[in-house]
Amino acid sequence: MRTCNGQDLDPHVDFNYDEAQKLHRRLNLIVYLNKDWRLEWGGSLEIHSNPRNHEENRVQAYIPIFNRAVLFETNEYSWHGFPRIDLPLSERHRSRKSISIYLYTRERPANEIAPPHGTFYVHRPFENRFQPGYTLNETDVQHLRFEMDRRDKWIELYQKMELTKNGEIAEKSGYIRDILSRVRAPLSGYVLQDGTSEALYSEGWTAEKSRFTVRPLEPLKSLTIKGWRPDAADPNSRLEVRINGERRATAQVGHGVFEIRVTFDAPCTEAITVGISCVPVYRPEGDNRELGFVLMEVRAEH
């Protein structure tokens, strides 16, 4: 890495995960290549305790002198950066040079794992000279304009990132809804499903409320809903079946396989909408969905 006069690097935490390689970033090794570098020239590596709290932030600095190596852990609080380089006119042919090596592991302790993220930066506070009563000169004005412009660009960047991410989420959510809507009810008998279903999952689970439309090919005398609930589900759940919005059957369902039958006063020849609800819902460990039961069969009898 090569940085020149006037450049700096705000305190930051590095990205924590290599998505392509599926590796956790764990260590940074930096070797400096600057002979006869002086403290007053700036560019010292600064390790921060918490740059987001300027009053309590503690800083440990290391001059980037030749052959100095710094090794530190990469985690969610390994804040580091360096202040602006300010070389005398006679030394501006120089640049701050370093070699960085990043070390990764396949695994990481569970208590250290955070969601994958990019590099997070924190802007430095205003310099101490900016105090009540201080009179700005032209250099100060240019400095403040530069800092405000840089801050605005970071805000713009994060806003664009949010728009991009939210767009991806909306696209994927729409795709998932489309996939779920294509799930067909497990019908048996001389019946077909019309249109798409609501809240039926591909592995057979229903949500708290699910719905689908059945079209008889032969006059329909009854429908039997066959389902299953795991031992961990509430043993006193209530299941309700509605036909075209009208409640036609209710039953208490516990564990294992169950069946609920809905009969029709006269053979049904028109398409009907079947709505099923099950409360309280079942929330499996590690799954944030609110589930009713596994729909094993919707059996038509003619």
Side-chain angles (χ1 to χ4, degrees):
M1 181 178 179
R2 178 175 178 269
T3 49
C4 300
N5 184 68
Q7 294 181 310
D8 64 359
L9 185 60
D10 282 333
H12 62 281
V13 163
D14 293 313
F15 69 88
N16 62 346
Y17 192 69
D18 185 332
E19 294 277 7
Q21 302 297 323
K22 307 300 180 187
L23 295 173
H24 296 274
R25 185 166 172 176
R26 302 297 301 279
L27 294 173
N28 285 1
L29 173 62
I30 306 175
V31 181
Y32 294 101
L33 308 173
N34 310 294
K35 291 186 177 181
D36 304 319
W37 192 271
R38 297 183 181 179
L39 175 64
E40 60 267 25
W41 293 352
S44 293
L45 174 68
E46 294 180 336
I47 305 297
H48 297 253
S49 63
N50 183 6
R52 288 177 172 151
N53 187 332
H54 301 312
E55 299 298 326
E56 298 181 6
N57 184 37
R58 299 186 306 278
V59 181
Q60 179 68 48
Y62 301 89
I63 305 174
I65 57 177
F66 182 77
N67 212 29
R68 167 166 283 171
V70 181
L71 177 68
F72 60 93
E73 186 177 358
T74 304
N75 51 40
E76 298 308 305
Y77 47 88
S78 56
W79 298 98
H80 60 286
F82 60 83
R84 182 169 299 163
I85 299 170
D86 186 14
L87 294 169
L89 287 175
S90 61
E91 299 291 340
R92 290 192 179 174
H93 61 281
R94 288 176 175 266
S95 61
R96 178 186 184 274
K97 301 181 183 67
S98 63
I99 296 175
S100 298
I101 298 174
Y102 309 132
L103 304 175
Y104 297 80
T105 60
R106 187 71 62 185
E107 305 295 334
R108 187 174 198 138
N111 63 341
E112 296 183 5
I113 295 177
H117 62 75
T119 301
F120 293 151
Y121 291 89
V122 174
H123 288 287
R124 298 176 184 275
F126 287 139
E127 297 178 13
N128 289 332
R129 70 177 183 275
F130 296 112
Q131 299 291 337
Y134 175 78
T135 301
L136 298 177
N137 57 36
E138 182 60 29
T139 301
D140 294 330
V141 172
Q142 294 300 323
H143 171 75
L144 293 174
R145 284 176 176 169
F146 172 81
E147 292 297 334
M148 293 302 295
D149 181 66
R150 181 161 64 167
R151 188 179 299 267
D152 288 344
K153 283 184 170 58
W154 276 113
I155 293 173
E156 181 183 11
L157 173 64
Y158 283 119
Q159 288 173 341
K160 288 180 178 178
M161 289 174 58
E162 182 175 358
L163 290 172
T164 299
K165 290 293 184 183
N166 287 345
E168 293 174 354
I169 291 172
E171 181 180 358
K172 291 176 181 178
S173 297
Y175 174 76
I176 292 172
R177 285 194 299 269
D178 181 59
I179 292 296
L180 293 178
S181 69
R182 297 179 188 180
V183 175
R184 315 292 287 184
L187 304 177
S188 63
Y190 295 105
V191 289
L192 295 175
Q193 179 174 323
D194 273 355
T196 59
S197 55
E198 295 181 14
L200 292 182
Y201 296 104
S202 58
E203 70 270 47
W205 280 100
T206 71
E208 176 185 349
K209 295 181 180 180
S210 56
R211 185 167 61 179
F212 51 89
T213 298
V214 173
R215 177 165 56 88
L217 300 178
E218 296 288 343
L220 182 63
K221 294 182 178 179
S222 68
L223 278 178
T224 299
I225 308 297
K226 182 178 181 180
W228 172 86
R229 304 185 79 241
D231 291 343
D234 192 308
N236 300 309
S237 290
R238 199 76 180 171
L239 190 140
E240 178 181 279
V241 180
R242 289 179 176 266
I243 304 296
N244 294 334
E246 179 185 352
R247 185 170 61 185
R248 297 296 300 271
T250 60
Q252 180 175 310
V253 291
H255 305 145
V257 177
F258 62 86
E259 290 189 357
I260 297 179
R261 189 166 181 261
V262 177
T263 60
F264 300 97
D265 297 333
C268 180
T269 58
E270 301 294 329
I272 59 172
T273 298
V274 181
I276 310 173
S277 62
C278 183
V279 290
V281 294
Y282 170 58
R283 296 180 178 86
E285 184 176 353
D287 191 331
N288 60 5
R289 295 177 298 175
E290 296 184 342
L291 304 175
F293 63 96
V294 175
L295 181 59
M296 301 173 64
E297 183 185 16
V298 180
R299 185 169 64 251
E301 298 168 357
H302 305 280

